């Protein structure tokens, strides 16, 4: 985008950052459909609406900050993932594919019901997530339990409830799960999570397939093969497959292809050594979404095809029957479906630098900018504006200078206290990682669909805070 689109030039042009905000967009009122959820649009009067309801009405009804989740978009994304993987799985007889939504991205009882209705399975990584899933009627056999340090109580609960699979993450856990299953008179279906030694191109904290980290058992040095040997000997376990999750916010399918290649290599070793063909592989989640207009995520169809092709090729080469494939997208389903709505409180211009726009939330409702240097977009949504673009930093109200929501953004220069601004693509890992820092009250999640809005997670209250503080 050329800067000449703004003859006056943006304010603070001398400090323009690199990347997405190197130049202001031609029209600040425009909402990029890749970044905003499906039913979001700007009305003729300039006010943005979601699911047929204006943000001004939503703010009046539910207050700010608040997350607004586009239910139609959520369901459409569930269907797109399920259909993409099922169609791919139907190409050859007897094969199938399962989509497990990763609950850590965002989970509530309403979400569980939608998943159930849309035919998705669920991946949980704590008893809290398991309890939410069961409370909303997800059948236990469609739940997978993850975690690198599941407690005895968690394992007992999961085995007792009859979860469909437990993903084993260490040598100790192999024995622990086997003993608990035996004690409960069950044979628990399990997968073994391996690290395949792929360097995923993403932030260090969300990359999980290189060997030097806490998740999984390395393929390198024969450790994963040894884990399989041990699991196959234990009566309490039914080893159904191998699991790999290479990281998060990944755009390129090549890392998954290497992972699939190495996982199938292990299946072949297992067949050769034990005469057993494990029936399943899980390639985890991690597919990236568009947080800014520069991000270009793959469609589920394309991902499904790439993964299936590589698994077919590798299995054909190894003389193995193609196993049932599963994937665990979290962010790619819920991330794009929600935005956070904030009210502008102060606008502080630092001449020659930038303008600090303070909102009524911050790192307590979105820690991702501070934690991962995540980039976000932002727009004025309570009205349209023809003012010149102003280089802004959207910051929260917490006592921390790293309390940044959007590091570099262009907002209209006439932005004023009381305006509503919205940050899109906050459906994943924002409410689920929200905190009470500074005793902030965590915002509600409001589902909007066909002109109806309802809280699916209500706003916290002072009473909620004080109830935990037992004096
Ligand atoms: N499967 C497993 C085993 C996982 O560990 C994860 C994410 C997923 C699936 C889902 O990944 P997704 O499709 O959502 O990328 N808090 C970080 C992300 C941490 C992801 C942890 N595991 C963030 O905000 O970016």
């Amino acid at each position: 985008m050329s800067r000449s689109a703004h003859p006056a030039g943006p304010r603070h042009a001398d400090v323009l950052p690199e990347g997405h905000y190197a130049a202001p967009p031609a029209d600040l009122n425009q909402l990029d459909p890749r970044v905003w959820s499906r039913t979001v649009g700007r009305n003729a009067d300039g006010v943005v609406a979601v699911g047929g309801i204006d943000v001004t009405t939503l703010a009046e009804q539910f207050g700010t900050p608040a997350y607004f989740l586009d239910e139609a978009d959520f369901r459409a994304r569930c269907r797109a993932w399920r259909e993409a993987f099922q169609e791919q799985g139907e190409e050859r007889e007897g094969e199938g594919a399962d989509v497990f939504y990763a609950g850590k991205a965002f989970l509530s009882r309403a979400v569980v019901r939608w998943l159930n209705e849309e035919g998705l399975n669920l991946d949980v990584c704590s008893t809290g997530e398991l309890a939410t899933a069961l409370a909303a009627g997800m059948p236990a056999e469609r739940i997978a339990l993850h975690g690198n340090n599941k407690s005895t109580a968690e394992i007992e609960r999961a085995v007792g409830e009859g979860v469909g699979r437990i993903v084993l993450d260490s040598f100790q856990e192999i024995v622990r799960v086997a003993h608990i299953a035996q004690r409960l008179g069950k044979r628990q279906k399990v997968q073994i999570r391996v690290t395949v030694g792929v360097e995923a191109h993403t932030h260090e904290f969300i990359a999980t397939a290189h060997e030097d980290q806490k998740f999984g058992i390395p393929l390198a040095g024969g450790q994963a093969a040894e884990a399989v040997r041990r699991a196959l000997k234990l009566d309490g376990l039914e080893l159904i497959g191998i699991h790999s999750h290479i990281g998060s916010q990944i755009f390129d399918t090549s890392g998954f292809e290497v992972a699939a290649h190495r996982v199938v290599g292990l299946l072949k070793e297992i067949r050769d050594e034990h005469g057993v063909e494990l029936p399943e592989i899980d390639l985890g989640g991690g597919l990236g979404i568009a947080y800014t207009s520069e991000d270009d995520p793959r469609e589920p169809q394309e991902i499904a095809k790439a993964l299936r092709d590589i698994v077919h090729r590798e299995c054909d080469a190894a003389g193995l029957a193609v196993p049932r494939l599963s994937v665990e997208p979290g962010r790619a389903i819920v991330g794009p479906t929600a935005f956070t709505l904030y009210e502008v409180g102060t606008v502080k211009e630092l001449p020659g630098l930038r303008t600090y726009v303070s909102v009524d939330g911050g790192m307590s409702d979105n820690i991702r900018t501070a934690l991962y240097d995540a980039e976000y977009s932002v727009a004025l949504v309570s009205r349209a504006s023809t003012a010149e673009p102003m280089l802004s930093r959207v910051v929260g109200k917490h006592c921390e200078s790293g309390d940044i929501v959007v590091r570099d953004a262009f907002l209209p220069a006439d932005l004023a206290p009381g305006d509503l601004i919205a940050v899109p693509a906050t459906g994943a890992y924002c409410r689920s990682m929200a905190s009470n820092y500074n005793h902030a009250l965590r915002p509600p999640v409001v589902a909007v669909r066909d002109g109806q809005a309802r809280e699916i997670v209500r706003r916290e209250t002072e009473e909620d805070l004080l109830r935990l503080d037992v004096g």
Side-chain angles (χ1 to χ4, degrees), residues 186-228:
K186 301 211 178 190
R187 190 152 183 256
Q188 177 62 47
K189 286 191 174 147
V190 294
Q191 293 188 337
I192 291 176
R193 176 164 173 177
V194 301
T195 43
V196 294
V198 174
E199 294 288 338
H201 299 285
T202 187
H203 191 280
E204 177 196 349
F205 292 174
I206 53 177
T208 56
H210 52 295
E211 275 133 20
D212 187 3
Q213 47 112 4
K214 71 171 186 168
F215 290 110
I217 301 178
L219 283 178
Q223 287 206 59
E226 177 57 21
V228 168

Side-chain angles (χ1 to χ4, degrees), residues 312-330:
H312 280 177
R313 242 191 348 265
E314 296 295 327
C315 288
D316 286 349
L320 288 166
V322 177
R324 190 173 181 89
L325 176 63
S326 48
V327 287
E328 300 169 336

